[in-house]
Amino acid sequence: MSRRRTLALPPWLPVDAYILALIGTVVLAALLPARGTAAEVASGASTGAVALLFFLYGARLSTAEALDGLKHWRLHLTVLACTFLIFPLLGLASGGLVPYVLTPELQAGFLFLCLVPSTIQSSIAFTSIARGNVPAAICAGSFSSLAGILLTPLLAALLLGSTGGGFSADSLLKIVLQLLVPFLAGQFLRRWVGGFLARHKKVLGLVDRGSILLVVYTAFSEGMVAGIWHQVTPARLGGLLAAEAVLLAVMLALTWYGARRLSFGREDRIAIQFAGSKKSLAAGLPMASVLFGAHASLAVLPLMLFHQMQLMVCAVIAKRRSRDPEPERGPESESVRNREDAGSGPVSDPAVTVTS
């Protein structure tokens, strides 16, 4: 019986297929931006897509699994501190790059990327490849995503101020209606729709990715119509990439060596490094569309670039960690392995994580 062939990029190509789709969507918005009635339709569809995304996030998150993960509270607090304390402080420090390296608009986007929650899928994938604590990575990513629904908008309102497009009572109402209410509805309906979502995981994955592409198209179309892309020169883009490379390097080093100083074992340090140094494209893009409005295109550009950079760098680190000598396994490590074998099996392909 012959195996079915699937479409895949060559293994030597360091760019994920979904990243290429995102780039293609940006190009489409640059060539054929939505205008007039089409822009209104795209904006309405984008709003609905954001609500659907957060409903699905809520319906997929197992409350029981998250509560069970609280037993490893030191690890989760470390990841949350990296995501919502250290990252924002580094984002604030990037204000010193204005106007020499970054424009005020790009720096606002850079700061916003520092406020976004961590990933779930890609943290699990890289932790598994590196032979780290996979259950801890699952719980840490879930806690970060849940906390980000509340903390990211609040931190953005506090730190970005009027730079973020003007935060007001109306903006906070939109956040509640488009993000929090759908998420809570998903959690409430999980007992009835959870099985359906589990059976149709692949189809819903396409819905996730398609919704994000729609959000990207709408945001960049608004940017093209407003003419804000004339503010991004090749030199500014190069400066942004350099700043993000430094940010990623600092967080990778801090999460690894800092976790060692906090006396975490090797498996836990791996989970902390991958969950604490990464940012979620899937959560950040919808949030930006709500928070920034017509300025969302410049706001999400730093996040899109950082996302691809973190995937490439973390893939290399995970493969190197996988070649480390097998450590001696104590009772706690054996328990972690048993939990992984029972249902949180390792993920071997980081390419599936691009929506995270």
Side-chain angles (χ1 to χ4, degrees), residues 14-60:
V15 181
D16 187 90
Y18 192 66
I19 296 296
L20 295 180
L22 286 170
I23 295 173
T25 302
V26 173
V27 173
L28 177 63
L31 298 177
L32 297 172
R35 300 176 184 272
T37 303
E40 295 179 2
V41 172
S43 178
S46 178
T47 300
V50 170
L52 175 61
L53 278 173
F54 279 84
F55 173 82
L56 293 176
Y57 292 160
R60 289 169 181 163

Side-chain angles (χ1 to χ4, degrees), residues 216-237:
V216 170
Y217 175 76
T218 303
F220 279 82
S221 287
E222 292 176 349
M224 286 298 300
V225 173
I228 62 177
W229 278 101
H230 297 295
Q231 305 171 24
V232 184
T233 64
R236 295 295 191 185
L237 190 60

Side-chain angles (χ1 to χ4, degrees), residues 94-110 228-245 298 301-302 305 309:
S94 70
L97 301 177
V98 180
Y100 310 103
V101 178
L102 302 176
T103 64
E105 293 77 14
L106 286 179
Q107 194 273 331
F110 187 93
I228 62 177
W229 278 101
H230 297 295
Q231 305 171 24
V232 184
T233 64
R236 295 295 191 185
L237 190 60
L240 174 62
L241 286 171
E244 292 190 338
L298 278 183
L301 179 62
L305 295 176
M309 186 183 297

Side-chain angles (χ1 to χ4, degrees), residues 75-125:
L75 184 147
H76 302 315
L77 284 180
T78 301
V79 172
L80 289 175
C82 291
T83 305
F84 296 113
L85 179 60
I86 299 176
F87 254 117
L89 289 176
L90 293 175
L92 286 173
S94 70
L97 301 177
V98 180
Y100 310 103
V101 178
L102 302 176
T103 64
E105 293 77 14
L106 286 179
Q107 194 273 331
F110 187 93
L111 177 54
F112 174 73
L113 108 80
C114 293
L115 309 180
V116 170
S118 179
T119 64
I120 301 177
Q121 293 97 330
S122 54
S123 295
I124 298 168

Side-chain angles (χ1 to χ4, degrees), residues 274-292:
F274 289 128
S277 65
K278 300 171 66 250
K279 291 296 183 177
S280 173
L281 187 70
L285 287 177
M287 288 182 180
S289 69
V290 177
L291 297 173
F292 290 90

